[in-house]
Amino acid sequence: QAWSAWGMSCFSEIKFGWCEYSSIDPDAPPSCPDYVFSIASFQRKLDSHYVFDQRPPLMEAFFIQRLHDDYKQSLVDADCPNPLIMAAILLAEFQLLAPSWIDLDRGFSLVKKAGSFISPDLANDFVMAISTSGRQLYDEAMKLAREASPFQQHLMASKPAAWPLQRAIKRIQVAQDAVGDAVGVALGIVGRPVPCATEIQGKSSTTSFSTKCFGMDTVARVDFVVAHCREDLSWLTKQLQRVPLGARLLIYEKCGAPLAP
């Protein structure tokens, strides 16, 4: 079946081993366990996540991402970079939606030094700070993808894809939008007016964070005006799903007919 075939586009399993010394008792003998990681299982879990919206395999992604560089390079040398790529891009999305305390502290330290108004440059610096880890992981994933062999690139670009890279990139874009929205909320909570949009420069690409205006007196407001005459207005619920907080909808009834609430 196709599902079984998808799971075998790289090594089925890989074995790792290393020794760890006790941080409590330095004189204790080292612990040297062996680890067996199923790439096929990781691949199927990624597919379930990106295609069927199942639980993201974060534990597996963290395990791969935190491997020693020698192990990572061995995967690349063996023409099997896909697990590294997908682990990095999954964790990039995670770090964008849940920035580390280090990134958050770096960002809010900039806010503390600011005056009563956040300039566009400072807002950009804030976004750059809180998204540092996410952007670094994304750049790492894209670098590996560009350097992968034509065969492995085909496995990530084919339809259906053996490795759902394109779906992962789309989720990164959604996460970037969420970060942009959250920036305004975060700065608004600490009483700092913010600009309505900013961009960040990554190593691989430029990312637009469409930071919303949050109904503050120092930023622009948005009014949506619709000229109406007996037409169906049900399209408004679909077309105006993502609007700036505090935006107003004004309906100008040209024909004098009453409007349903």
Side-chain angles (χ1 to χ4, degrees):
Q1 296 180 358
W3 181 266
S4 300
W6 292 357
M8 298 301 295
S9 70
C10 202
F11 299 149
S12 177
E13 291 182 346
I14 49 178
K15 186 176 181 179
F16 304 98
W18 57 80
C19 294
E20 298 176 347
Y21 287 88
S22 172
S23 59
I24 299 176
D25 183 5
D27 297 326
S31 173
C32 302
D34 290 328
Y35 299 92
V36 177
F37 184 88
S38 174
I39 291 183
S41 177
F42 180 52
Q43 191 174 14
R44 287 193 295 268
K45 289 180 179 180
L46 286 169
D47 206 67
S48 295
H49 170 57
Y50 287 113
V51 178
F52 302 107
D53 204 26
Q54 299 298 309
R55 180 188 69 84
L58 288 173
M59 182 176 66
E60 293 89 341
F62 272 113
F63 179 85
I64 292 179
Q65 182 61 31
R66 291 175 176 174
L67 285 174
H68 192 278
D69 288 343
D70 289 346
Y71 284 126
K72 292 183 179 181
Q73 189 60 46
S74 295
L75 286 172
V76 174
D77 294 341
D79 195 29
C80 191
N82 312 70
L84 297 173
I85 295 169
M86 296 305 303
I89 201 167
L90 176 62
L91 295 179
E93 178 188 358
F94 174 76
Q95 293 283 17
L96 286 172
L97 295 175
S100 67
W101 286 110
I102 295 175
D103 289 350
L104 288 173
D105 184 66
R106 186 184 298 114
F108 280 102
S109 66
L110 296 174
V111 176
K112 292 178 182 178
K113 297 176 183 177
S116 59
F117 181 76
I118 301 295
S119 68
D121 287 342
L122 186 54
N124 177 75
D125 292 341
F126 178 82
V127 174
M128 291 283 285
I130 68 170
S131 63
T132 298
S133 298
R135 290 184 296 106
Q136 289 175 345
L137 286 166
Y138 179 73
D139 286 337
E140 177 183 327
M142 291 299 96
K143 181 177 183 293
L144 287 170
R146 288 194 303 270
E147 295 174 351
S149 68
F151 175 67
Q152 296 300 337
Q153 290 180 349
H154 168 74
L155 293 176
M156 293 182 285
S158 60
K159 293 184 179 181
W163 296 91
L165 179 62
Q166 295 300 322
R167 291 178 179 270
I169 291 175
K170 289 181 180 179
R171 291 185 69 109
I172 286 287
Q173 294 168 346
V174 173
Q176 290 170 345
D177 289 340
V179 171
D181 297 344
V183 166
V185 173
L187 295 180
I189 289 174
V190 297
R192 301 292 198 274
V194 296
C196 299
T198 188
E199 289 187 344
I200 64 171
Q201 297 290 334
K203 294 180 181 178
S204 304
S205 61
T206 298
T207 301
S208 296
F209 284 83
S210 53
T211 309
K212 294 179 179 178
C213 299
F214 284 86
M216 302 175 188
D217 293 335
T218 53
V219 295
R221 304 288 183 97
V222 178
D223 288 341
F224 296 90
V225 182
V226 178
H228 178 262
C229 182
R230 304 189 183 93
E231 297 91 353
D232 181 17
L233 293 175
S234 60
W235 60 271
L236 286 171
T237 59
K238 298 179 180 179
Q239 298 298 322
L240 296 181
Q241 290 184 350
R242 287 178 59 86
V243 298
L245 192 66
R248 297 184 302 171
L249 172 62
L250 306 175
I251 299 178
Y252 172 56
E253 175 52 56
K254 298 185 296 182
C255 302
L259 286 175

